[in-house]
Amino acid sequence: MADMEYRGIHPTALTPADAAEFARMLHDAPGPHLGRAPVPVVVHDPGTTPAGRRAALQVVYDAIVARIGEPTLYGGSADGPSVRWRDSSRTLLLAGDRQQVGLSVHDTRTLEAEEQRAFEWGGAWSGGQPYDQAFLPYVWQLDRSGPGERPTARPGGRLAADLAQFQYGLELLLRAWSEQLSVQVGTDWASFCVTSAADRGRQLLVSYSLEDGLHASIDDRDGENNEDRARMMLARGWQSRDRGWWQTDFLDPGHECAAALAALVVTELYARGTRGPEELRARDVSCKDRGELWLPGLGIRH
């Protein structure tokens, strides 16, 4: 492995054992490899399901962590993981998309400056292009004070232009969580509450865990408990009412479930008076109450 040369993307992936040893080499002696193209450690066949991609990455991820330890920062983009072993000089990056996941190492300052520009422009190449969360370097990131050095500041971001764009960002986040979260943190849940200035005091909870799937619930204890209201809430996409909270669950979510849950959230917010993402805030953002969870892909304040 120490003699390995690479030029661009390899057509096949390294074995888990070789990936772990390659990660150790990049982690401990990054100099000759800084800024080079990623080397694939997972290559997905066309048509692989999210669950299949998750399972394939799990084997390689576990081997790498066993070799070099837990990462400094967990996370992922709209299409794949973005996991970092970071200090002030170098960042080892395990990242990819729906086709493949690769290992690369970068000068920390250079990498984060490039990512800062992407966050400032909202994934677009210029201010005149549409904001698109799909092109952000990561839509979620979790800092649990792991080995290495955490960034001194978070990159800036842009608010979603409208509720449709917030819905799109929420869908991307939920898709990412359902494929990426359990690989990195096991059965730990991640959740946040959405609140709106147009409907103060009300909580709308969104969460995901491997065991429970995708979940949304809204506090409707001040609403009438009758058949007319039940028909209305069921028509919006809610599934059941429990002690004044309406809720919806997808226990084994695919991408279509993430889209459905995001649409339900925005439909409910709009029905209760919200007209723009500037009225919204994500509160109580957490991953099992351990560490700092940041959601730059949502496009709302938190």
Side-chain angles (χ1 to χ4, degrees):
M1 289 299 300
D3 301 338
M4 185 176 203
E5 293 183 8
Y6 58 98
R7 301 181 180 88
I9 297 298
H10 289 204
T12 58
L14 302 179
T15 67
D18 282 347
E21 178 58 22
F22 186 51
R24 184 206 60 78
M25 181 178 67
L26 296 182
H27 184 273
D28 295 347
H33 310 286
L34 286 169
R36 292 195 180 186
V39 169
V41 295
V42 178
V43 175
H44 301 297
D45 293 330
T48 302
T49 64
R53 289 193 294 268
R54 185 173 63 211
L57 179 59
Q58 187 76 69
V59 177
V60 175
Y61 179 81
D62 288 347
I64 292 172
V65 169
R67 190 71 178 88
I68 65 172
E70 291 291 333
T72 313
L73 298 164
Y74 306 90
S77 71
D79 290 324
S82 180
V83 186
R84 296 152 194 252
W85 291 260
R86 178 198 183 279
D87 62 26
S88 60
S89 61
R90 65 96 181 96
T91 297
L92 173 62
L93 184 63
L94 177 68
D97 53 28
R98 297 175 199 170
Q99 285 73 51
Q100 63 183 29
V101 178
L103 277 168
S104 57
V105 67
H106 306 268
D107 175 83
T108 296
R109 184 174 298 180
T110 301
L111 174 66
E112 292 178 355
E114 292 172 353
E115 291 183 338
Q116 176 65 44
R117 287 193 290 272
F119 280 109
E120 288 175 352
W121 293 114
W125 290 106
S126 71
Q129 291 184 319
Y131 171 37
D132 192 340
Q133 297 99 310
F135 292 103
L136 293 177
Y138 46 91
V139 296
W140 69 277
Q141 190 172 82
L142 173 62
D143 180 357
R144 282 185 163 172
S145 301
E149 302 174 36
R150 62 182 294 175
T152 57
R154 297 290 190 190
R158 289 171 61 178
L159 286 178
D162 50 32
L163 288 180
Q165 197 163 66
F166 165 64
Q167 178 177 327
Y168 172 65
L170 178 57
E171 176 185 343
L172 294 181
L173 173 66
L174 297 177
R175 278 170 36 184
W177 273 356
S178 63
E179 187 171 326
Q180 302 161 14
L181 192 71
S182 66
V183 174
Q184 301 177 44
V185 299
T187 59
D188 289 0
W189 50 261
S191 70
F192 58 93
C193 285
V194 181
T195 61
S196 173
D199 190 22
R200 292 188 183 277
R202 192 177 310 280
Q203 292 185 326
L204 198 166
L205 175 68
V206 179
S207 68
Y208 172 78
S209 74
L210 181 64
E211 294 180 333
D212 299 326
L214 289 172
H215 168 88
S217 55
I218 184 144
D219 185 355
D220 193 51
R221 287 173 294 181
D222 58 341
E224 296 182 0
N225 185 16
N226 56 37
E227 290 185 2
D228 287 344
R229 189 163 189 83
R231 279 194 294 269
M232 180 186 72
M233 297 299 280
L234 291 168
R236 290 179 188 171
W238 297 104
Q239 295 172 347
S240 61
R241 187 176 189 268
D242 181 22
R243 289 169 290 185
W245 287 73
W246 281 92
Q247 55 195 21
T248 291
D249 296 280
F250 296 104
L251 297 180
D252 187 20
H255 287 179
E256 70 284 354
C257 299
L261 204 70
L264 168 62
V265 167
V266 172
T267 296
E268 189 67 32
L269 290 169
Y270 190 85
R272 294 177 184 268
T274 299
R275 293 297 178 264
E278 66 279 359
E279 299 174 273
L280 299 176
R281 187 157 188 175
R283 301 182 183 273
D284 301 324
V285 181
S286 177
C287 185
K288 203 179 179 181
D289 298 327
R290 286 184 54 210
E292 180 185 356
L293 179 61
W294 187 54
L295 309 176
L298 271 183
I300 62 175
R301 293 174 300 143
H302 70 285

